[in-house]
């Protein structure tokens, strides 16, 4: 088989969780390969401008010291070859085969950090290229990493902003709040001039702060919930002083830039002819119902950023059969044990895929996942890893594992998780959000499916879940495969403000291709040696 | 525990709301029968949502399946003409492409035979082929055009036929799994379900790939087995493929004396701009593990026909389990081993196309009339006349 030699541990994602997992695994003695679709390490949280263009200085970032520490250890392990780093490639399929995992990858972007030298072209390829030209090296290198094998797998693919449709959200100028932040972090420039940031949750604050600090005008930050909602949860929230301080930090930024912060307020419509020009806002009651007469027009807005919490990227865990559950924020997340191991032996998960909880929690979970995966990989020889053995003997007892966390860190994990649950409860998706829509409102932007078509499919054809809505209306069948509209469609299928079922969320998280891949690449797959079944 | 009994006794309980059950319910309701449709999930949650929507004449051999195909085409174009927009009915025609001299010769032979039994087919020389499909491979030597081949969106067919059946008086219960049969003496007199009992004069087993399991609950053997197929979906594109296009190369494998065409990979554009690349065939039971070999094979075939596809992204793939019988014919009609029980299942890779003809003929028979087409070739009795020996393991027949 071409592709790089089997490693002890493969890590997917080089954000807070993935970096921590890779470093922990390698420091526990494992040989590690890290695949990440971004051009350089950092993930969503520590996304920064291309390192080959400008040196990262950490401006606009939190916990930059944590990043620098992880990055230094990551780079040190790369230098010794203990970590093989494969940036700019996305895993489109993961397979759990005898004794380990196989990842199939496809190129996304040109890496801005050199990939590991150890995945350089094989000797037989290099001499045939007289000039030793760089592009050929890159091509050969990319081919050699299209298939990656490892005995244990740690998935840290993160999450993306959850979106809810409103009339006009398909206009240019409407972005995900995280998209605005990513744009600023990656380009050092603004995607517009005058912004409204709307939705719910504390993550709206750093986005607004980033815009203001990059020189943009924030016309308003609109939070559908209310600080009052925190009161019942203050016990949990106060357990995380960093969060309170962070809140204060934003308060200062908001005051300095005169950013209006309105609670119990939502955007009910985006207005404009061929691009965003204004938004209609409204006050809402705790259930999300618009307070009569509270609508206002906010003019001269060219970018609206929406964020309704996050949707964890579950396609890879789901495709491997990992057990899932619905979290307090109504997101589908994967179930893990205290070692961050999923219901699939040898498959570890960390970061937002196990429940949205922020970057600090992601780092701690990553450490546990990486160390546990390394312990598993070294405790079992490849021969021991066959499925039969897994069924019988299972892993070494957990006290044989190195303690990945100090008692203090374990307490921090518990505290962060409590905080996250409190946050989710304080910032729910308002039940009545569907009342802001008109029948003409586009719900699936890829396939241009409207709320009216969805209601009709639900009422006339009995399409009560995301799967049948997709079948009958095409919502979620387009380019993004329901990543944007999946949650909204599940809610609308349930109808009348009901919460979507786990089955409906799971149906919309099921994407057998975790990323688009060219037909040419599929045609070039190697035939498998163990063909099950009889072709007929 | 005494299960609640559901409403009045129906004339007919239809088990399964795939295309076959939906069509049966629709036509039975139109015959004036009282109909109750049950499905363990929502309409079109089985194989009917994991297939393609081809209605093909071009791949049929002379025999009962071709007769049923023709009859169904008449129903699609006739009885159901007013509804065609509901399920994106498109009479776009199919093209078989030959890229080797030997397969071109085979294709010509097959065309001659098909013409002999009345299939509409026109030869396409290289220029005509390129006019019809400008993006076809430069290797293509010629082809054949089948104007009768058409396409529907199968999930919409099932869902709308259920809706129309309900409008005609039928009742539909989703999330209702049949777990056993009610008997009145030797007769089947209804079903037991997770939501109570439903009594009926006749019960129709329209459970597709699961029809064997259902039949076993009634003590009879109906050897329907799963045959897995993968389909690949591309990113949306401007129109690049205008017909259903498939390769003639497999004709060589079939053997020159045999006029039969087996189903083969079909490349086709959909109204939304995506291109469907289907489909593989393999017998692996109900294995849902994704097969890279299947993806590879689909991709290779597709690029062979349309080289531009190499640079196009696949955004999704899915798989389904065709319900097939050892003799590759569906089972349609009353089961004399279990009076009161009827079957309409096992349509393999052609159930969408055959659904409406099946439903209409079965409804005629259920209403006690002589069906327009003789159903004898599809009779369950061909699998033996004795009730099933529960202990005998079933051999999987080879295809
Ligand atoms: C708008 C916004 C604001 C936020 N603000 C804060 C904040 O102020 N405080 C806070 O604590 N948290 C904040 N967060 C959350 C924070 O970003 C996450 O908690 C953190 O990044 C989670 O780390 P992770 O490692 O799980 O995922 P990520 O950082 O998202 O990293 C995942 C990595 O995996 C890669 N990847 C995903 N799928 C694949 C694949 N199939 N193949 C290869 N690579 C893949 C991605 O490209 C990415 O590099 C914010 C998030 C957003 C979007
Ligand atoms: C990859 C692929 C491509 C195909 N392409 C085509 C094509 O292009 N053209 C074509 O004509 N055909 C095609 N087919 C074949 C076609 O999909 C099938 O023949 C057809 O869908 C069968 O329909 P059905 O109604 O019999 O079965 P299904 O659609 O499977 O319906 C059976 C129903 O029974 C229900 N059920 C099962 N057990 C129970 C129970 N105990 N209680 C209650 N309900 C139950 C199920 O939930 C299901 O909804 C393809 C198939 C595959 C797999």
């Amino acid at each position: 088989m071409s592709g790089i030699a089997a490693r002890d541990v493969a890590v997917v994602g080089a954000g807070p969780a993935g970096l921590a997992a890779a470093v922990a695994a390698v420091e526990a003695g494992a040989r590690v390969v890290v695949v990440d679709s971004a051009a350089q390490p950092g993930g969503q949280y520590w996304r920064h401008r291309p390192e080959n263009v400008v040196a990262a200085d950490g401006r606009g970032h939190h916990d930059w010291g944590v990043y620098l520490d992880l990055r230094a250890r990551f780079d040190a392990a790369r230098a010794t070859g203990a970590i093989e780093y494969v940036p700019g490639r996305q895993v489109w399929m993961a397979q759990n085969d005898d004794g380990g995992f196989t990842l199939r990858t496809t190129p996304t972007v040109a890496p801005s950090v050199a990939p590991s030298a150890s995945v350089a072209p094989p000797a037989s390829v290099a001499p045939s290229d007289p000039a030793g030209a760089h592009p050929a090296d890159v091509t050969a290198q990319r081919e050699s990493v299209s298939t990656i094998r490892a005995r244990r797998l740690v998935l840290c693919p993160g999450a993306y902003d959850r979106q809810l449709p409103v009339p006009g959200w398909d206009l240019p100028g409407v972005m995900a709040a995280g998209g605005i932040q990513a744009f600023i972090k990656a380009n050092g420039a603004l995607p517009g001039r005058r912004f409204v940031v709307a939705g719910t949750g504390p993550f709206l604050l750093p986005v607004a702060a980033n815009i203001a600090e990059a020189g943009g005008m924030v016309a308003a930050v609109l939070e559908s919930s209310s600080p009052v909602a925190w009161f019942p949860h203050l016990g949990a929230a106060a357990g995380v002083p960093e969060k309170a301080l962070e809140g204060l930090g934003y308060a200062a930024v908001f005051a300095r830039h005169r950013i209006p912060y309105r609670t119990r307020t939502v955007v009910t419509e985006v207005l404009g002819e061929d691009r965003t020009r204004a938004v209609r806002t409204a006050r809402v009651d705790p259930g999300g119902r618009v307070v009569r007469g509270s609508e206002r027009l906010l003019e001269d807005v060219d970018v609206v950023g929406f964020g309704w919490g996050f949707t964890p990227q579950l396609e890879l865990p789901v495709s491997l059969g990992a057990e899932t559950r619905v979290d307090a924020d109504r997101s589908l997340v994967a179930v893990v044990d205290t070692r961050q191991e999923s219901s699939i032996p040898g498959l570890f998960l960390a970061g937002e895929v196990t429940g949205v909880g922020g970057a600090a929690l992601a780092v701690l979970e990553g450490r546990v996942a990486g160390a546990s995966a390394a312990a598993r990989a070294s405790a079992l020889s490849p021969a021991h890893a066959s499925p039969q053995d897994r069924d019988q003997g299972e892993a070494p007892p957990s006290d044989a594992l190195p303690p990945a966390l100090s008692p203090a860190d374990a307490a921090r994990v518990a505290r962060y998780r409590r905080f996250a649950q409190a946050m989710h409860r304080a910032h729910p998706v308002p039940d009545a959000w569907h009342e802001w829509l008109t029948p003409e409102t586009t719900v699936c932007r890829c396939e241009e499916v409207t709320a009216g078509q969805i209601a009709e499919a639900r009422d006339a054809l009995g399409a009560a879940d995301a799967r049948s809505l997709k079948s009958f209306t095409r919502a979620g069948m387009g380019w993004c495969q329901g990543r944007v509209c999946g949650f909204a469609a599940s809610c609308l299928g349930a109808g009348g403000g009901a919460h979507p079922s786990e089955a409906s969320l799971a149906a919309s998280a099921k994407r057998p291709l975790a990323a688009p891949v060219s037909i040419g690449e599929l045609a070039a797959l190697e035939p498998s040696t163990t063909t099950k079944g009889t072709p007929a | 525990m005494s299960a609640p009994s559901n409403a009045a006794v129906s004339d007919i309980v239809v088990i399964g709301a795939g295309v076959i059950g939906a069509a049966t319910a629709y036509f039975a309701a139109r015959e004036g029968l009282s109909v109750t449709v049950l499905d363990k999930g929502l309409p079109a949650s089985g194989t009917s949502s994991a297939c393609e929507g081809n209605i093909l004449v071009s791949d049929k051999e002379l025999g009962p399946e071709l007769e049923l195909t023709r009859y169904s085409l008449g129903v699609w174009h006739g009885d159901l003409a007013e509804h065609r927009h509901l399920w994106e009915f498109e009479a776009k025609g199919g093209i078989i492409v030959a890229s080797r001299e030997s397969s071109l010769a085979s294709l010509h032979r097959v065309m001659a035979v098909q013409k002999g039994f009345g299939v509409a087919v026109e030869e396409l020389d290289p220029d005509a082929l390129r006019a019809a499909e400008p993006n076809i491979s430069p290797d293509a030597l010629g082809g054949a055009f089948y104007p009768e081949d058409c396409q529907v969106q199968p999930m919409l067919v099932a869902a709308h036929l259920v809706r129309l059946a309900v409008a005609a008086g039928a009742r539909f219960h989703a999330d209702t799994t049949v777990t056993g049969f009610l008997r009145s003496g030797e007769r089947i007199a209804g079903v037991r379900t997770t939501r109570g009992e439903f009594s009926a004069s006749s019960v129709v087993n329209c459970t597709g790939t699961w029809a064997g399991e259902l039949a076993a609950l009634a003590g009879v053997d109906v050897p329907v087995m799963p045959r897995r197929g993968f389909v690949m979906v591309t990113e949306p594109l401007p129109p690049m493929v205008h017909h259903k296009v498939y390769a003639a190369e497999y004709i060589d494998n079939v053997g020159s004396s045999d006029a039969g065409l087996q189903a083969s990979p079909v490349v086709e554009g959909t109204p939304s701009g995506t291109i469907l690349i289907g489909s593989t065939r393999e017998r692996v039971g109900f294995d849902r593990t994704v097969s890279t070999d299947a993806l590879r094979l689909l991709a290779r075939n597709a690029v062979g026909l349309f080289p531009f596809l190499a640079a196009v992204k696949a955004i999704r793939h899915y798989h389904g389990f065709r319900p097939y019988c050892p003799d590759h014919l569906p089972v349609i009609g009353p089961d004399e081993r279990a009076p009161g029980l009827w079957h309409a299942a096992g349509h393999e890779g052609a159930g969408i196309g055959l659904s409406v003809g099946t439903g209409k003929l079965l409804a005629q028979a259920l209403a006690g009339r002589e069906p327009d087409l003789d159903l004898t070739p599809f009779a369950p009795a061909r699998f033996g006349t004795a009730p099933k020996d529960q202990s005998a393991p079933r051999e999987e027949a080879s295809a």
Side-chain angles (χ1 to χ4, degrees), chain A residues 185-197:
Chain A
K185 286 182 181 177
N187 302 296
L190 285 163
R193 194 176 50 79
R194 196 156 180 269
F195 297 76
V196 165
V197 180

Side-chain angles (χ1 to χ4, degrees), chain A residues 165 167 268 285 287-290 430-438 492 496-497:
Chain A
T268 55
D285 72 11
R289 288 222 156 73
V290 169
D431 286 345
W433 70 266
H434 62 280
E435 294 179 5
W436 314 336
L437 311 188
T438 69
L492 295 174

Side-chain angles (χ1 to χ4, degrees), chain A residues 12-18 35-38 42-45 62 89-91 156-159 161 177-178 181 203 206-207 243 246 250 310 313 316 350-353 357-360 362 514:
Chain A
V12 177
V35 196
D36 186 61
S37 48
Q44 179 80 256
Y45 191 56
H62 291 272
R89 292 196 74 99
Q90 191 156 16
V91 176
C156 310
D161 298 67
Q181 195 185 47
F203 297 129
V207 175
K243 282 284 159 189
E246 226 176 80
Y250 292 128
F310 297 93
Q313 305 224 53
L316 289 174
E352 309 295 43
V353 283

